[in-house]
């Protein structure tokens, strides 16, 4: 049987964020590095109390090398602002560090990571948790929830509550800003945005 994909061999132990940021570019822990432009690590300070975990970089993030700089990132920024959280005081990262997509003509269509990608990439997230040591981890969507809590989560049933997170930290689950963004053309955007803000507030005061 082939070994399951796993980033462990590429993750330096007890490393600082700059060291992790450097090392992640060499990671071959799963096949997602092959088609991506680069690994996208985190943004934010190691002194952050609040760590926000997304799913994976999107098209813009893949090109720019920074998390949450595309359309979903703009929704997140404005939700953080509405919740009274300074984006620069938080730590933003993703459960998976390489962009997974399907090429259709010129377009690159986002594909959600599989469980095996979340598992393979988890050592990076663990190293970030150790380096930043946040009080609260916010899981943006089901992939982040799965990665952070190590179990399937149900956003509808669990969102906004202060849960037991990894290593005695608090965790709060909320919806992914892309899911909010999708409602712009379908209706329900304002309500979904307000719920996201309220979950972020709950996290900030946990
Ligand atoms: N969606 C995410 O989950 N992360 C990003 O960095 C951008 C979009
Ligand atoms: Fe490594 Fe994660 Fe990229 Fe896979 S997605 S190659 S595990 S950094």
């Amino acid at each position: 049987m082939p070994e399951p994909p796993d980033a462990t061999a590429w993750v330096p132990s007890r490393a600082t964020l700059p060291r992790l940021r450097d090392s992640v570019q060499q990671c071959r822990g799963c096949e997602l590095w092959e088609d991506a432009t680069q690994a996208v690590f985190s943004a934010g300070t190691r002194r952050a109390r609040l760590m926000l975990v997304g799913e994976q970089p999107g098209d813009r993030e893949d090109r720019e090398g920074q998390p949450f700089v595309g359309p979903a990132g703009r929704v997140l920024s404005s939700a953080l602002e509405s919740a009274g959280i300074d984006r620069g005081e938080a730590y933003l990262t993703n459960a998976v560090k390489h962009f997974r997509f399907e090429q259709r003509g010129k377009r690159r269509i986002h594909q959600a990571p599989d469980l095996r990608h979340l598992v393979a990439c988890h050592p990076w997230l663990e190293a970030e948790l150790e380096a930043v040591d946040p009080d609260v981890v916010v899981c943006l969507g089901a992939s982040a929830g799965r990665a952070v809590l190590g179990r399937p989560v149900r956003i509808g049933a669990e969102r906004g509550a202060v849960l037991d997170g990894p290593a005695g930290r608090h965790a709060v689950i909320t919806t992914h800003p892309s899911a909010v963004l999708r409602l712009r053309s379908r209706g329900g955007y304002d309500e979904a945005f307000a719920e996201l803000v309220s979950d972020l507030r709950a996290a900030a005061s946990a």
Side-chain angles (χ1 to χ4, degrees), residues 7 24 27-30 32-33 96-98 120-121 124:
V24 75
C27 186
R28 305 292 181 257
C30 74
L32 293 183
W33 67 273
V96 169
K97 306 316 194 225
H98 279 101
C121 213
W124 291 111

PDB file of all heavy atoms in Angstrom, residues 7 24 27-30 32-33 96-98 120-121 124, ligand 2:
ATOM      1  N   ALA A   7       2.415  15.941   5.157  1.00  0.00           N
ATOM      2  CA  ALA A   7       3.404  17.019   5.078  1.00  0.00           C
ATOM      3  C   ALA A   7       4.510  16.910   6.132  1.00  0.00           C
ATOM      4  O   ALA A   7       5.491  17.668   6.070  1.00  0.00           O
ATOM      5  CB  ALA A   7       2.708  18.374   5.222  1.00  0.00           C
ATOM      6  N   VAL A  24       7.369  25.980   3.671  1.00  0.00           N
ATOM      7  CA  VAL A  24       6.141  25.464   3.045  1.00  0.00           C
ATOM      8  C   VAL A  24       6.249  25.450   1.513  1.00  0.00           C
ATOM      9  O   VAL A  24       5.607  24.650   0.845  1.00  0.00           O
ATOM     10  CB  VAL A  24       4.901  26.269   3.526  1.00  0.00           C
ATOM     11  CG1 VAL A  24       4.820  27.640   2.884  1.00  0.00           C
ATOM     12  CG2 VAL A  24       3.614  25.483   3.277  1.00  0.00           C
ATOM     13  N   CYS A  27       7.126  22.063   0.255  1.00  0.00           N
ATOM     14  CA  CYS A  27       6.312  20.917   0.670  1.00  0.00           C
ATOM     15  C   CYS A  27       5.800  20.108  -0.530  1.00  0.00           C
ATOM     16  O   CYS A  27       5.318  20.654  -1.512  1.00  0.00           O
ATOM     17  CB  CYS A  27       5.127  21.378   1.521  1.00  0.00           C
ATOM     18  SG  CYS A  27       4.192  19.978   2.198  1.00  0.00           S
ATOM     19  N   ARG A  28       5.957  18.811  -0.423  1.00  0.00           N
ATOM     20  CA  ARG A  28       5.441  17.856  -1.415  1.00  0.00           C
ATOM     21  C   ARG A  28       4.590  16.813  -0.703  1.00  0.00           C
ATOM     22  O   ARG A  28       4.547  15.645  -1.099  1.00  0.00           O
ATOM     23  CB  ARG A  28       6.605  17.164  -2.146  1.00  0.00           C
ATOM     24  CG  ARG A  28       7.619  18.122  -2.821  1.00  0.00           C
ATOM     25  CD  ARG A  28       6.972  18.848  -3.999  1.00  0.00           C
ATOM     26  NE  ARG A  28       7.881  19.744  -4.704  1.00  0.00           N
ATOM     27  CZ  ARG A  28       7.882  21.071  -4.576  1.00  0.00           C
ATOM     28  NH1 ARG A  28       7.063  21.669  -3.736  1.00  0.00           N
ATOM     29  NH2 ARG A  28       8.704  21.811  -5.297  1.00  0.00           N
ATOM     30  N   GLY A  29       3.949  17.261   0.384  1.00  0.00           N
ATOM     31  CA  GLY A  29       3.203  16.343   1.234  1.00  0.00           C
ATOM     32  C   GLY A  29       1.981  15.721   0.585  1.00  0.00           C
ATOM     33  O   GLY A  29       1.512  14.672   1.002  1.00  0.00           O
ATOM     34  N   CYS A  30       1.439  16.394  -0.426  1.00  0.00           N
ATOM     35  CA  CYS A  30       0.374  15.810  -1.238  1.00  0.00           C
ATOM     36  C   CYS A  30       0.578  16.333  -2.661  1.00  0.00           C
ATOM     37  O   CYS A  30       1.501  17.097  -2.917  1.00  0.00           O
ATOM     38  CB  CYS A  30      -1.017  16.164  -0.698  1.00  0.00           C
ATOM     39  SG  CYS A  30      -1.527  17.872  -1.007  1.00  0.00           S
ATOM     40  N   LEU A  32      -1.077  18.485  -4.392  1.00  0.00           N
ATOM     41  CA  LEU A  32      -1.641  19.777  -4.780  1.00  0.00           C
ATOM     42  C   LEU A  32      -0.604  20.826  -5.174  1.00  0.00           C
ATOM     43  O   LEU A  32      -0.918  21.796  -5.864  1.00  0.00           O
ATOM     44  CB  LEU A  32      -2.548  20.324  -3.664  1.00  0.00           C
ATOM     45  CG  LEU A  32      -3.827  19.520  -3.411  1.00  0.00           C
ATOM     46  CD1 LEU A  32      -4.668  20.203  -2.328  1.00  0.00           C
ATOM     47  CD2 LEU A  32      -4.642  19.341  -4.682  1.00  0.00           C
ATOM     48  N   TRP A  33       0.646  20.659  -4.781  1.00  0.00           N
ATOM     49  CA  TRP A  33       1.685  21.634  -5.147  1.00  0.00           C
ATOM     50  C   TRP A  33       1.917  21.640  -6.661  1.00  0.00           C
ATOM     51  O   TRP A  33       2.322  22.651  -7.238  1.00  0.00           O
ATOM     52  CB  TRP A  33       3.006  21.310  -4.431  1.00  0.00           C
ATOM     53  CG  TRP A  33       3.627  20.036  -4.890  1.00  0.00           C
ATOM     54  CD1 TRP A  33       3.373  18.797  -4.418  1.00  0.00           C
ATOM     55  CD2 TRP A  33       4.568  19.888  -5.958  1.00  0.00           C
ATOM     56  NE1 TRP A  33       4.100  17.869  -5.106  1.00  0.00           N
ATOM     57  CE2 TRP A  33       4.846  18.507  -6.066  1.00  0.00           C
ATOM     58  CE3 TRP A  33       5.217  20.782  -6.821  1.00  0.00           C
ATOM     59  CZ2 TRP A  33       5.730  17.999  -7.015  1.00  0.00           C
ATOM     60  CZ3 TRP A  33       6.100  20.277  -7.762  1.00  0.00           C
ATOM     61  CH2 TRP A  33       6.352  18.891  -7.850  1.00  0.00           C
ATOM     62  N   VAL A  96      -5.551  24.136   4.084  1.00  0.00           N
ATOM     63  CA  VAL A  96      -4.721  23.562   3.014  1.00  0.00           C
ATOM     64  C   VAL A  96      -3.975  24.721   2.357  1.00  0.00           C
ATOM     65  O   VAL A  96      -4.559  25.764   2.093  1.00  0.00           O
ATOM     66  CB  VAL A  96      -5.614  22.811   1.989  1.00  0.00           C
ATOM     67  CG1 VAL A  96      -4.844  22.450   0.740  1.00  0.00           C
ATOM     68  CG2 VAL A  96      -6.211  21.555   2.635  1.00  0.00           C
ATOM     69  N   LYS A  97      -2.679  24.539   2.095  1.00  0.00           N
ATOM     70  CA  LYS A  97      -1.858  25.673   1.658  1.00  0.00           C
ATOM     71  C   LYS A  97      -1.708  25.821   0.146  1.00  0.00           C
ATOM     72  O   LYS A  97      -1.152  26.813  -0.318  1.00  0.00           O
ATOM     73  CB  LYS A  97      -0.459  25.582   2.274  1.00  0.00           C
ATOM     74  CG  LYS A  97      -0.371  25.440   3.785  1.00  0.00           C
ATOM     75  CD  LYS A  97      -1.268  26.335   4.584  1.00  0.00           C
ATOM     76  CE  LYS A  97      -0.884  26.368   6.062  1.00  0.00           C
ATOM     77  NZ  LYS A  97      -2.050  26.257   6.982  1.00  0.00           N
ATOM     78  N   HIS A  98      -2.117  24.828  -0.610  1.00  0.00           N
ATOM     79  CA  HIS A  98      -2.065  24.967  -2.076  1.00  0.00           C
ATOM     80  C   HIS A  98      -3.479  24.983  -2.666  1.00  0.00           C
ATOM     81  O   HIS A  98      -4.375  24.285  -2.181  1.00  0.00           O
ATOM     82  CB  HIS A  98      -1.260  23.824  -2.708  1.00  0.00           C
ATOM     83  CG  HIS A  98       0.240  24.009  -2.653  1.00  0.00           C
ATOM     84  ND1 HIS A  98       1.041  23.365  -1.729  1.00  0.00           N
ATOM     85  CD2 HIS A  98       1.071  24.772  -3.412  1.00  0.00           C
ATOM     86  CE1 HIS A  98       2.313  23.722  -1.923  1.00  0.00           C
ATOM     87  NE2 HIS A  98       2.362  24.574  -2.944  1.00  0.00           N
ATOM     88  N   ALA A 120      -3.321  15.601   5.137  1.00  0.00           N
ATOM     89  CA  ALA A 120      -1.918  15.744   4.695  1.00  0.00           C
ATOM     90  C   ALA A 120      -1.342  17.088   5.135  1.00  0.00           C
ATOM     91  O   ALA A 120      -0.195  17.172   5.574  1.00  0.00           O
ATOM     92  CB  ALA A 120      -1.832  15.605   3.180  1.00  0.00           C
ATOM     93  N   CYS A 121      -2.131  18.145   5.037  1.00  0.00           N
ATOM     94  CA  CYS A 121      -1.645  19.505   5.289  1.00  0.00           C
ATOM     95  C   CYS A 121      -1.706  19.882   6.767  1.00  0.00           C
ATOM     96  O   CYS A 121      -1.184  20.919   7.165  1.00  0.00           O
ATOM     97  CB  CYS A 121      -2.449  20.491   4.443  1.00  0.00           C
ATOM     98  SG  CYS A 121      -1.489  21.907   3.891  1.00  0.00           S
ATOM     99  N   TRP A 124       1.151  21.513   9.056  1.00  0.00           N
ATOM    100  CA  TRP A 124       1.430  22.956   8.946  1.00  0.00           C
ATOM    101  C   TRP A 124       0.555  23.741   9.920  1.00  0.00           C
ATOM    102  O   TRP A 124       1.018  24.660  10.592  1.00  0.00           O
ATOM    103  CB  TRP A 124       1.209  23.453   7.509  1.00  0.00           C
ATOM    104  CG  TRP A 124       2.215  22.923   6.556  1.00  0.00           C
ATOM    105  CD1 TRP A 124       2.005  22.017   5.555  1.00  0.00           C
ATOM    106  CD2 TRP A 124       3.616  23.249   6.510  1.00  0.00           C
ATOM    107  NE1 TRP A 124       3.181  21.751   4.899  1.00  0.00           N
ATOM    108  CE2 TRP A 124       4.187  22.499   5.453  1.00  0.00           C
ATOM    109  CE3 TRP A 124       4.438  24.088   7.251  1.00  0.00           C
ATOM    110  CZ2 TRP A 124       5.550  22.572   5.136  1.00  0.00           C
ATOM    111  CZ3 TRP A 124       5.794  24.170   6.942  1.00  0.00           C
ATOM    112  CH2 TRP A 124       6.330  23.418   5.888  1.00  0.00           C
TER     113      TRP A 124
HETATM  114 FE1  LIG B   2       2.057  20.274   1.313  1.00  0.00          FE
HETATM  115 FE2  LIG B   2      -0.327  21.160   2.075  1.00  0.00          FE
HETATM  116 FE3  LIG B   2       0.663  21.876  -0.266  1.00  0.00          FE
HETATM  117 FE4  LIG B   2      -0.178  19.412   0.078  1.00  0.00          FE
HETATM  118  S1  LIG B   2      -1.443  21.271   0.132  1.00  0.00           S
HETATM  119  S2  LIG B   2       1.754  20.027  -0.887  1.00  0.00           S
HETATM  120  S3  LIG B   2       0.417  19.036   2.217  1.00  0.00           S
HETATM  121  S4  LIG B   2       1.501  22.424   1.722  1.00  0.00           S
END
